[in-house]
Amino acid sequence: MNYEWLDEYLLSKLGVNKDYKEEWEWDRYLINGKMIAAICTDKTGKEIITLKCEPSFGEELRIQYEDIIPGYYMNKVHWNSVYLEGEVPDEVIKDMINQSYELVFNKLSKKMQKEIRNGDKND
């Protein structure tokens, strides 16, 4: 994997926990049980990270980078996958992670958002 910093960066986000979905063989990053990212391998064994993005942003990225594809085993409009052996710049992946986090966090109840910000809940 070219992006050794991924795990640490994802877990640095407020309220994010990691689990392993054994039947899918996915490392999932969740906020209040809602997935913001998944790291797994595709059917050919290539490692990928899948992230939620605004549809227009995701489409723009797929045009710009051949290593970004519609979400693997996910909704192809809202999710995008990045090949981790590819050439996508770190800053682009960080932007995708930040957007995925914000999209999911902003869908949580105001009460839950406040609890996460105050450190009262970390799952």
Side-chain angles (χ1 to χ4, degrees), residues 89-111:
D90 288 2
E91 290 309 311
V92 172
I93 295 178
K94 285 181 181 177
D95 286 346
M96 292 175 75
I97 291 169
N98 294 340
Q99 185 173 113
S100 187
Y101 178 85
E102 290 300 319
L103 286 169
V104 175
F105 183 84
N106 290 334
K107 292 278 186 184
L108 299 175
S109 69
K110 298 297 180 199
K111 180 182 180 204

Short mmCIF file of all heavy atoms in Angstrom, two decimals, residues 89-111:
data_model
loop_
_atom_site.label_atom_id
_atom_site.label_comp_id
_atom_site.label_asym_id
_atom_site.label_seq_id
_atom_site.Cartn_x
_atom_site.Cartn_y
_atom_site.Cartn_z
N PRO A 89 -2.67 11.55 -5.58
CA PRO A 89 -1.91 12.29 -4.56
C PRO A 89 -2.54 12.17 -3.16
O PRO A 89 -3.77 12.10 -3.03
CB PRO A 89 -1.97 13.74 -5.06
CG PRO A 89 -2.26 13.64 -6.52
CD PRO A 89 -3.09 12.40 -6.69
N ASP A 90 -1.68 12.17 -2.15
CA ASP A 90 -2.14 12.09 -0.76
C ASP A 90 -3.20 13.14 -0.47
O ASP A 90 -4.21 12.85 0.20
CB ASP A 90 -0.96 12.29 0.21
CG ASP A 90 -0.02 11.11 0.25
OD1 ASP A 90 -0.22 10.12 -0.48
OD2 ASP A 90 0.96 11.18 1.02
N GLU A 91 -2.99 14.36 -0.92
CA GLU A 91 -3.93 15.45 -0.61
C GLU A 91 -5.31 15.19 -1.19
O GLU A 91 -6.31 15.58 -0.59
CB GLU A 91 -3.38 16.80 -1.08
CG GLU A 91 -2.19 17.29 -0.27
CD GLU A 91 -2.43 17.28 1.25
OE1 GLU A 91 -3.48 17.81 1.69
OE2 GLU A 91 -1.58 16.73 1.98
N VAL A 92 -5.39 14.55 -2.34
CA VAL A 92 -6.69 14.22 -2.93
C VAL A 92 -7.40 13.19 -2.06
O VAL A 92 -8.60 13.33 -1.77
CB VAL A 92 -6.53 13.72 -4.38
CG1 VAL A 92 -7.85 13.18 -4.93
CG2 VAL A 92 -5.99 14.83 -5.27
N ILE A 93 -6.68 12.18 -1.61
CA ILE A 93 -7.29 11.17 -0.75
C ILE A 93 -7.70 11.78 0.59
O ILE A 93 -8.78 11.49 1.11
CB ILE A 93 -6.37 9.95 -0.57
CG1 ILE A 93 -6.20 9.25 -1.93
CG2 ILE A 93 -6.95 8.98 0.46
CD1 ILE A 93 -5.28 8.07 -1.93
N LYS A 94 -6.88 12.66 1.14
CA LYS A 94 -7.26 13.34 2.38
C LYS A 94 -8.52 14.17 2.18
O LYS A 94 -9.41 14.19 3.04
CB LYS A 94 -6.12 14.22 2.89
CG LYS A 94 -5.01 13.40 3.52
CD LYS A 94 -3.89 14.28 4.03
CE LYS A 94 -2.78 13.43 4.63
NZ LYS A 94 -1.64 14.23 5.09
N ASP A 95 -8.64 14.86 1.05
CA ASP A 95 -9.85 15.62 0.74
C ASP A 95 -11.06 14.69 0.68
O ASP A 95 -12.14 15.01 1.16
CB ASP A 95 -9.73 16.38 -0.57
CG ASP A 95 -8.82 17.60 -0.49
OD1 ASP A 95 -8.48 18.03 0.64
OD2 ASP A 95 -8.44 18.11 -1.56
N MET A 96 -10.88 13.52 0.05
CA MET A 96 -11.97 12.55 -0.04
C MET A 96 -12.38 12.04 1.35
O MET A 96 -13.57 11.92 1.65
CB MET A 96 -11.56 11.38 -0.93
CG MET A 96 -11.39 11.75 -2.40
SD MET A 96 -10.77 10.36 -3.39
CE MET A 96 -12.26 9.33 -3.50
N ILE A 97 -11.38 11.75 2.19
CA ILE A 97 -11.67 11.30 3.56
C ILE A 97 -12.40 12.39 4.33
O ILE A 97 -13.40 12.12 5.00
CB ILE A 97 -10.36 10.89 4.28
CG1 ILE A 97 -9.79 9.61 3.67
CG2 ILE A 97 -10.61 10.73 5.79
CD1 ILE A 97 -8.38 9.28 4.13
N ASN A 98 -11.92 13.61 4.23
CA ASN A 98 -12.56 14.72 4.94
C ASN A 98 -14.00 14.89 4.50
O ASN A 98 -14.90 15.09 5.33
CB ASN A 98 -11.78 16.01 4.73
CG ASN A 98 -10.40 15.96 5.36
OD1 ASN A 98 -10.12 15.15 6.25
ND2 ASN A 98 -9.52 16.81 4.89
N GLN A 99 -14.25 14.80 3.19
CA GLN A 99 -15.61 14.95 2.69
C GLN A 99 -16.49 13.79 3.16
O GLN A 99 -17.62 14.00 3.59
CB GLN A 99 -15.63 15.05 1.16
CG GLN A 99 -17.02 15.34 0.65
CD GLN A 99 -17.05 15.62 -0.82
OE1 GLN A 99 -17.61 14.81 -1.57
NE2 GLN A 99 -16.47 16.72 -1.25
N SER A 100 -15.97 12.58 3.10
CA SER A 100 -16.74 11.42 3.55
C SER A 100 -17.12 11.58 5.01
O SER A 100 -18.28 11.36 5.40
CB SER A 100 -15.92 10.14 3.33
OG SER A 100 -16.70 9.01 3.61
N TYR A 101 -16.17 11.97 5.82
CA TYR A 101 -16.43 12.18 7.25
C TYR A 101 -17.52 13.22 7.45
O TYR A 101 -18.48 13.00 8.19
CB TYR A 101 -15.14 12.60 7.96
CG TYR A 101 -15.34 12.89 9.43
CD1 TYR A 101 -15.31 11.85 10.36
CD2 TYR A 101 -15.59 14.17 9.89
CE1 TYR A 101 -15.51 12.10 11.71
CE2 TYR A 101 -15.79 14.44 11.23
CZ TYR A 101 -15.75 13.40 12.14
OH TYR A 101 -15.97 13.65 13.48
N GLU A 102 -17.38 14.36 6.79
CA GLU A 102 -18.36 15.45 6.95
C GLU A 102 -19.75 15.04 6.48
O GLU A 102 -20.75 15.37 7.12
CB GLU A 102 -17.89 16.71 6.21
CG GLU A 102 -16.70 17.39 6.84
CD GLU A 102 -16.94 17.86 8.28
OE1 GLU A 102 -18.05 18.38 8.55
OE2 GLU A 102 -16.05 17.68 9.12
N LEU A 103 -19.83 14.35 5.35
CA LEU A 103 -21.13 13.91 4.84
C LEU A 103 -21.85 13.01 5.84
O LEU A 103 -23.05 13.16 6.09
CB LEU A 103 -20.97 13.18 3.51
CG LEU A 103 -20.65 14.06 2.31
CD1 LEU A 103 -20.23 13.20 1.11
CD2 LEU A 103 -21.83 14.95 1.94
N VAL A 104 -21.12 12.08 6.44
CA VAL A 104 -21.72 11.15 7.40
C VAL A 104 -21.99 11.86 8.72
O VAL A 104 -23.08 11.74 9.30
CB VAL A 104 -20.85 9.90 7.58
CG1 VAL A 104 -21.41 8.99 8.67
CG2 VAL A 104 -20.72 9.14 6.26
N PHE A 105 -21.03 12.63 9.22
CA PHE A 105 -21.18 13.34 10.49
C PHE A 105 -22.39 14.27 10.45
O PHE A 105 -23.18 14.32 11.39
CB PHE A 105 -19.90 14.12 10.81
CG PHE A 105 -19.94 14.83 12.14
CD1 PHE A 105 -19.61 14.16 13.31
CD2 PHE A 105 -20.31 16.16 12.23
CE1 PHE A 105 -19.65 14.81 14.53
CE2 PHE A 105 -20.35 16.82 13.44
CZ PHE A 105 -20.02 16.14 14.61
N ASN A 106 -22.54 14.99 9.35
CA ASN A 106 -23.63 15.97 9.24
C ASN A 106 -25.02 15.33 9.16
O ASN A 106 -26.02 16.00 9.37
CB ASN A 106 -23.40 16.90 8.05
CG ASN A 106 -22.25 17.84 8.30
OD1 ASN A 106 -21.91 18.16 9.44
ND2 ASN A 106 -21.61 18.29 7.23
N LYS A 107 -25.08 14.03 8.88
CA LYS A 107 -26.36 13.31 8.86
C LYS A 107 -26.76 12.81 10.25
O LYS A 107 -27.89 12.39 10.45
CB LYS A 107 -26.29 12.11 7.90
CG LYS A 107 -26.18 12.49 6.46
CD LYS A 107 -27.51 12.82 5.90
CE LYS A 107 -27.39 13.06 4.40
NZ LYS A 107 -28.63 13.48 3.82
N LEU A 108 -25.82 12.85 11.20
CA LEU A 108 -26.14 12.43 12.57
C LEU A 108 -27.02 13.48 13.23
O LEU A 108 -27.03 14.65 12.83
CB LEU A 108 -24.84 12.27 13.38
CG LEU A 108 -23.84 11.25 12.88
CD1 LEU A 108 -22.57 11.30 13.73
CD2 LEU A 108 -24.43 9.84 12.89
N SER A 109 -27.73 13.07 14.26
CA SER A 109 -28.57 14.02 14.99
C SER A 109 -27.67 15.10 15.62
O SER A 109 -26.49 14.87 15.90
CB SER A 109 -29.35 13.30 16.08
OG SER A 109 -28.47 12.86 17.11
N LYS A 110 -28.24 16.25 15.84
CA LYS A 110 -27.49 17.35 16.49
C LYS A 110 -26.99 16.91 17.86
O LYS A 110 -25.88 17.26 18.25
CB LYS A 110 -28.35 18.61 16.61
CG LYS A 110 -28.79 19.18 15.27
CD LYS A 110 -27.61 19.63 14.44
CE LYS A 110 -28.08 20.18 13.11
NZ LYS A 110 -27.04 20.21 12.11
N LYS A 111 -27.80 16.14 18.57
CA LYS A 111 -27.39 15.64 19.88
C LYS A 111 -26.16 14.75 19.76
O LYS A 111 -25.20 14.89 20.54
CB LYS A 111 -28.56 14.87 20.52
CG LYS A 111 -28.22 14.31 21.88
CD LYS A 111 -29.37 13.52 22.46
CE LYS A 111 -28.96 12.99 23.82
NZ LYS A 111 -29.68 11.84 24.23
#
